Amino acid sequence: MTAQATLPVAGGPPAGPVPSRAQRLRGWVFTPVPLARVAVLRVIVYLFVVYDLFYVVNDPPHLAQNSAALYRPIRIRSWLDLPVPSTGYVLAERAVVIAACAVVIAGVLLRLPRWLTALAGVLVAAGFTDWVSIGMSYSKIDHDHFALIMAVWVLPTVGTTLLRGRAAGIRSEAAGWALLCIQVGCVAIYFLSAVAKVRYGGWNWVTGSTFAWAMTRRGTGLGRALLDPPWILTASQFLIFTIEVFSPLILWARGRVRYLMVLGFMVFHLSTYLAMKIHFLPLVICLLAFLPLEILLRRREQPVAATPTA
């Protein structure tokens, strides 16, 4: 057994053991974070899942009525040998996912048995993943759901989280790991989007008239106003590509730098919506995993008035 190295500190007490690379990696992957942060994120994510079922990926009931000849299962459905969806199947699945989301949210507000909220979380993860895979097995695949799918799978691993009580202030390594998984999912969307742009569109995606074509096809009044002068859209393509390439830096950023990066991503998504009516709401929701959401629960301490003595 070898002794660990220490770093001397001039004029101070002896330094402690230098952590190994494995210890530093573990400290980064399992950084303890307040359970209250996960509690707030759980409420937001599971409420959004219900919204998603009706307003984002809302077409499985309609798609299930179409001919099976239009069904082209994505790879995960082929691997699992999942059946061609029917109308009854998708409607029942939506009902189960909604009920399970309600149980998870109730578990954050109340103290429900841990096994019940865990079971509900697994039902949401499996059902929502299946639902989204159905919606994307009819020729259109949206990459903005990857982080959200990651979120519904890892959030049940954290255990009991409450919005109030002593447990809300406890820091948990499991919570830190779950949030990191969601953060990596967000970064993967950005970075792999840049890779896909060059892989399938070539460098012409960055230097060409990609945005000009998009604005003429589906641009709003604001988007079409950006067509002249044309260099504005070309510069925007360079800017977006650069943001996506360097998006992994947010995983190491801390404090205000991280919050400014999150704000930048959100401004980017707002601009694409205003210019082309393209939103990335599932990804925007998951970007909240980078923020200290527990501050929403903090109450300002009210000073207690001194009781006059006789």
Side-chain angles (χ1 to χ4, degrees):
M1 185 174 180
T2 59
Q4 290 179 303
T6 60
L7 293 177
V9 180
V18 178
S20 64
R21 290 184 180 179
Q23 290 172 327
R24 291 197 297 269
L25 178 61
R26 188 187 189 284
W28 179 68
V29 173
F30 297 99
T31 302
V33 300
L35 285 173
R37 187 178 304 181
V38 176
V40 175
L41 186 63
R42 268 182 171 167
V43 173
I44 296 172
V45 164
Y46 287 99
L47 284 176
F48 183 80
V49 166
V50 176
Y51 174 86
D52 197 297
L53 294 172
F54 290 96
Y55 298 103
V56 185
V57 183
N58 61 349
D59 48 1
H62 173 70
L63 294 173
Q65 297 175 358
N66 293 317
S67 169
L70 301 177
Y71 174 71
R72 293 290 184 273
I74 60 176
R75 191 166 297 173
I76 188 172
R77 296 189 66 83
S78 298
W79 286 345
L80 299 177
D81 196 24
L82 296 174
V84 178
S86 64
T87 302
Y89 177 91
V90 295
L91 292 179
E93 184 169 69
R94 184 169 64 184
V96 169
V97 171
I98 292 173
C101 284
V103 172
V104 174
I105 295 172
V108 176
L109 302 175
L110 308 170
R111 188 176 291 277
L112 296 181
R114 180 172 179 174
W115 68 266
L116 180 60
T117 55
L119 176 61
V122 172
L123 286 175
V124 172
F128 187 64
T129 302
D130 186 50
W131 175 275
V132 172
S133 70
I134 291 172
M136 299 182 186
S137 291
Y138 290 83
S139 79
K140 184 178 184 292
I141 298 178
D142 299 322
H143 63 283
D144 61 346
H145 274 72
F146 178 73
L148 185 60
I149 295 296
M150 178 75 76
V152 295
W153 277 106
V154 299
L155 286 176
T157 67
V158 179
T160 302
T161 57
L162 298 173
L163 289 178
R164 52 192 174 88
R166 292 184 178 179
I170 296 176
R171 290 181 172 266
S172 165
E173 290 185 343
W177 177 81
L179 290 180
L180 179 61
C181 288
I182 300 171
Q183 294 166 2
V184 171
C186 293
V187 169
I189 292 176
Y190 291 119
F191 185 78
L192 295 179
S193 177
V195 173
K197 287 178 175 62
V198 177
R199 179 182 179 186
Y200 297 106
W203 289 105
N204 284 334
W205 191 101
V206 182
T207 61
S209 56
T210 307
F211 279 4
W213 174 83
M215 297 305 177
T216 56
R217 178 172 172 263
R218 58 178 302 166
T220 63
L222 174 62
R224 289 189 291 272
L226 298 175
L227 288 169
D228 189 25
W231 66 264
I232 295 178
L233 294 180
T234 304
S236 298
Q237 292 165 192
F238 273 98
L239 176 62
I240 290 174
F241 183 78
T242 302
I243 290 173
E244 291 175 339
V245 168
F246 290 100
S247 60
L249 294 178
I250 196 174
L251 294 174
W252 289 273
R254 291 293 182 268
R256 292 182 180 179
V257 174
R258 168 174 281 193
Y259 306 151
L260 287 174
M261 293 181 74
V262 172
L263 178 61
F265 287 135
M266 291 186 173
V267 170
F268 158 56
H269 294 306
L270 177 62
S271 64
T272 58
Y273 179 75
L274 294 177
M276 294 179 284
K277 290 295 182 181
I278 296 177
H279 71 79
F280 292 82
L281 276 179
L283 175 54
V284 170
I285 291 296
C286 292
L287 284 174
L288 298 178
F290 288 98
L291 303 179
L293 301 175
E294 66 275 10
I295 63 175
L296 299 175
L297 305 178
R298 292 176 184 169
R299 298 179 180 179
R300 293 182 180 178
E301 296 183 1
Q302 299 295 333
V304 180
T307 303
T309 57

